[in-house]
Amino acid sequence: MNLFKQKQAILAPLLVLVVAIIFSLTLASSVNPTPKNLPIAIVNGDQGIQVPSKGNVNIGDMMVSKINKLSKTNNGEKPAIKWIQVSSEEKVRKGLDDQKYYGALILPSDLSKNQASLKTANPSPIAIKILVNQGKNTTGSTMASQMLTHIVENLNLTTHTQIFNELKKNVSSISVKQAEVLSNPIVANIENVNAIGTHTANGNAPVTLITPLWMSSLIGAVIVFLAKKKTQTSNSISKLKVIFEQLILGVILSFIIGFGITLMAKWIGFTLPNFLDVALYLTIAYFCFHILISAVMSWVGFGGVGIFALIFFFSGSLIGMPKELLPAFSKDWIYSWVPMRFGADGLREIFYFDKGLSMSHPMSIILWIGIISLLALSLSAFKPKKEVVNQAVTMK
């Protein structure tokens, strides 16, 4: 028998090419990841000063204008930073806790006053505060910190050059104290907000824990599905009974995996904010993922496994990245809806934002996934068997 006459052999090149293309698409997020519209807050608290010949002068306004100019691009692309002006530091900190910003730049109330003092014999440096929202995303917050530091360095150099040029025109010498302050007229005070702490995989603990949970829910759902197929069900009532037993088994698996992964994480050395909160969250997430996969397989059969395997491969490299670094395809068509991402986001709020086991946005999404999946799984009890469908088609 000639191998090349077999249908599988003829289709092999096409199938292999399709698989290669699908898995190559998972690399899209790693090709030149550059930030676009990274949300960073800016507060201009400068009160300004009265200058006899100019009236009220607000150096803070000038700096904000300078910062916006530095951040603009000339090629029409989206800027790296999306500046969001906020009225006070208190509101900024609330926004950081709500994960609205990766960082913030706080211009002090005495900015203009200290700027003017740089030209006197008793100068005061300008202290600008940089807030870095570490817990939101390690990669994103690190980028925000680097960009904010770079901006302050540019402002520092500009101020240094400007003041020195003015002094050279008006004075022949400066004091040691002036020279010391003018060498670094703007001081950046960096503060990590919602810090990731130590032993959290550099802030990637949520992704690290949700990955085995997802794979466990997939494998668990497959095993239960295969066991379910061996049960003898003659009507919808008996099918519902089996589904109820399936749910009980799912609950048991959820507690085993949820608490098991948490125990392993503690044993490995992860710093857990609260053991019970993490374990219960993982238990709930596992159950909802388990029911989701079970519901899909109850309608489309064993082929549903491929769907969730693809979800894992496509989203595994995405959920740990800030969405502002992702290409449009990955952000809009994968990151925006994958269940694993919501699972990791919920853990992030427990780990770094002191939310505990609460009805957060990620938690509500996960619960809705579970509720809708439970409904779909229950309705599958009323799906006619294939034999019945085939007989009806034959009779026609």
Side-chain angles (χ1 to χ4, degrees):
M1 182 177 288
N2 192 331
L3 176 65
F4 291 99
K5 291 183 178 181
Q6 300 301 313
K7 182 169 65 175
Q8 292 86 346
I10 297 173
L11 291 175
L14 178 62
L15 294 174
V16 170
L17 179 62
V18 169
V19 172
I21 291 173
I22 289 174
F23 284 95
S24 294
L25 286 174
T26 63
L27 303 175
S29 61
S30 61
V31 179
N32 191 28
T34 54
K36 305 287 185 180
N37 282 335
L38 204 70
I40 295 179
I42 184 168
V43 177
N44 179 18
D46 187 19
Q47 299 297 316
I49 56 172
Q50 290 293 328
V51 178
S53 60
K54 298 180 181 179
N56 185 272
V57 175
N58 192 300
I59 302 299
D61 288 339
M62 298 179 188
M63 282 193 175
V64 170
S65 178
K66 175 74 173 176
I67 289 169
N68 285 324
K69 187 177 180 180
L70 286 171
S71 302
K72 285 183 179 179
T73 58
N74 297 321
N75 51 13
E77 293 185 0
K78 293 178 180 178
I81 297 177
K82 178 183 178 181
W83 291 105
I84 302 171
Q85 288 196 294
V86 185
S87 59
S88 68
E89 182 177 339
E90 182 182 0
K91 290 183 179 179
V92 161
R93 290 184 180 274
K94 176 67 167 58
L96 292 171
D97 290 340
D98 293 337
Q99 301 189 56
K100 292 181 179 179
Y101 324 118
Y102 287 94
L105 193 66
I106 313 293
L107 304 182
S109 59
D110 56 2
L111 195 156
S112 293
K113 179 182 175 183
N114 288 349
Q115 169 92 349
S117 76
L118 295 175
K119 304 172 188 177
T120 68
N122 189 29
S124 297
I126 300 168
I128 292 180
K129 190 179 295 184
I130 294 176
L131 304 181
V132 180
N133 197 5
Q134 274 195 325
K136 180 169 171 61
N137 183 281
T138 304
T139 303
S141 62
T142 300
M143 284 189 168
S145 178
Q146 291 171 346
M147 288 188 288
L148 288 172
T149 302
H150 180 67
I151 286 170
V152 173
E153 287 174 352
N154 277 331
L155 292 174
N156 189 44
L157 180 60
T158 301
T159 303
H160 167 86
T161 304
Q162 178 186 346
I163 299 298
F164 256 108
N165 287 338
E166 290 186 25
L167 289 176
K168 280 196 297 184
K169 293 178 182 178
N170 301 315
V171 298
S172 57
S173 64
I174 60 174
S175 66
V176 174
K177 183 176 182 180
Q178 276 183 292
E180 184 180 2
V181 173
L182 288 176
S183 65
N184 191 34
I186 298 179
V187 179
N189 298 318
I190 301 176
E191 178 186 345
N192 291 324
V193 181
N194 302 310
I196 59 176
T198 58
H199 300 90
T200 60
N202 292 324
N204 292 313
V207 177
T208 303
L209 297 183
I210 212 68
T211 300
L213 184 90
W214 177 264
M215 289 305 298
S216 299
S217 63
L218 177 59
I219 294 171
V222 169
I223 293 172
V224 174
F225 175 78
L226 293 175
K228 181 182 173 183
K229 284 184 69 72
K230 294 182 179 180
T231 59
Q232 300 295 324
T233 54
S234 57
N235 52 53
S236 297
I237 301 299
S238 57
K239 289 180 181 178
L240 284 172
K241 181 177 179 295
V242 172
I243 289 174
F244 179 73
E245 293 170 347
Q246 182 180 6
L247 292 175
I248 293 175
L249 186 54
V251 170
I252 295 172
L253 289 174
S254 300
F255 277 96
I256 291 173
I257 300 301
F259 278 79
I261 289 178
T262 310
L263 280 169
M264 282 296 297
K266 185 177 181 181
W267 178 70
I268 291 171
F270 277 90
T271 300
L272 303 178
N274 182 289
F275 179 89
L276 190 59
D277 284 349
V278 174
L280 288 176
Y281 178 85
L282 291 177
T283 299
I284 294 169
Y286 179 94
F287 181 76
C288 293
F289 293 163
H290 176 89
I291 298 304
L292 169 64
I293 298 168
S294 299
V296 172
M297 287 198 296
S298 69
W299 283 97
V300 305
F302 195 75
V305 177
I307 297 173
F308 295 101
L310 283 175
I311 289 175
F312 172 78
F313 283 110
F314 270 106
S315 62
S317 60
L318 301 182
I319 60 176
M321 295 182 66
K323 65 180 181 179
E324 291 80 9
L325 264 71
L326 300 176
F329 172 81
S330 300
K331 181 170 64 177
D332 298 335
W333 294 96
I334 303 176
Y335 181 88
S336 61
W337 60 268
V338 287
M340 284 177 66
R341 193 261 289 187
F342 295 106
D345 285 349
L347 270 182
R348 185 172 288 110
E349 294 197 350
I350 294 175
F351 266 82
Y352 310 127
F353 292 86
D354 198 27
K355 295 292 180 70
L357 189 67
S358 59
M359 189 55 69
S360 60
H361 176 68
M363 173 67 92
S364 63
I365 295 294
I366 289 172
L367 289 176
W368 273 112
I369 289 173
I371 292 169
I372 295 172
S373 300
L374 182 59
L375 179 61
L377 181 62
S378 301
L379 289 175
S380 68
F382 303 96
K383 183 181 71 171
K385 287 187 175 181
K386 287 184 178 180
E387 296 82 8
V388 176
V389 174
N390 292 336
Q391 288 177 9
V393 172
T394 304
M395 290 177 64
K396 289 181 179 180

